[in-house]
Amino acid sequence: MAQARVRDFLILIGHTWMCLDCRRKLLEDPEATLIGHKLSEFERERLLNLTDSSFRTMMDLEAATGLTADEVSLAVDHPRSRLRHLGTRVRG
């Protein structure tokens, strides 16, 4: 059975939790980093307002993103969160 598509927002959160280089890119130039990702206005606003302190703990990340603990865990554990760095495009 195919796995349901996970929102880009979750992939961005999961990847930036693990990858310090991509987290730095997101925090330094969020507008450029978010180009090409399918995000709601709420998700975009949350990403634009992230800071270093948003990533101190998973509870801080939940509060900063509006995600639940289960959603943050899904984001961090999802295989796509590990596969692609921000700014990398996939043709298809």
Side-chain angles (χ1 to χ4, degrees):
M1 177 184 267
Q3 189 174 19
R5 185 180 184 331
V6 174
R7 298 185 334 254
D8 284 2
F9 182 59
L10 292 176
I11 300 304
L12 287 164
I13 294 301
H15 185 75
T16 54
W17 174 259
M18 294 180 287
C19 180
L20 298 179
D21 287 338
C22 287
R23 183 187 307 174
R24 180 188 45 77
K25 285 181 194 177
L26 176 65
L27 296 177
E28 289 178 0
D29 194 0
E31 290 290 352
T33 306
L34 299 180
I35 292 172
H37 294 283
K38 296 176 185 174
L39 302 167
S40 71
E41 281 304 311
F42 174 82
E43 292 168 342
R44 177 173 289 285
E45 181 181 319
R46 291 297 176 128
L47 288 166
L48 293 175
N49 289 310
L50 291 175
T51 64
D52 277 328
S53 61
S54 302
F55 292 92
R56 285 185 304 203
T57 68
M58 283 204 174
M59 288 174 52
D60 290 331
L61 192 57
E62 292 163 26
T65 59
L67 295 172
T68 65
D70 287 343
E71 289 172 318
V72 171
S73 291
L74 172 67
V76 171
D77 292 339
H78 196 278
R80 280 188 57 214
S81 295
R82 293 185 193 95
L83 290 177
R84 193 177 325 137
H85 293 286
L86 301 183
T88 304
R89 299 286 179 252
V90 174
R91 294 183 190 263

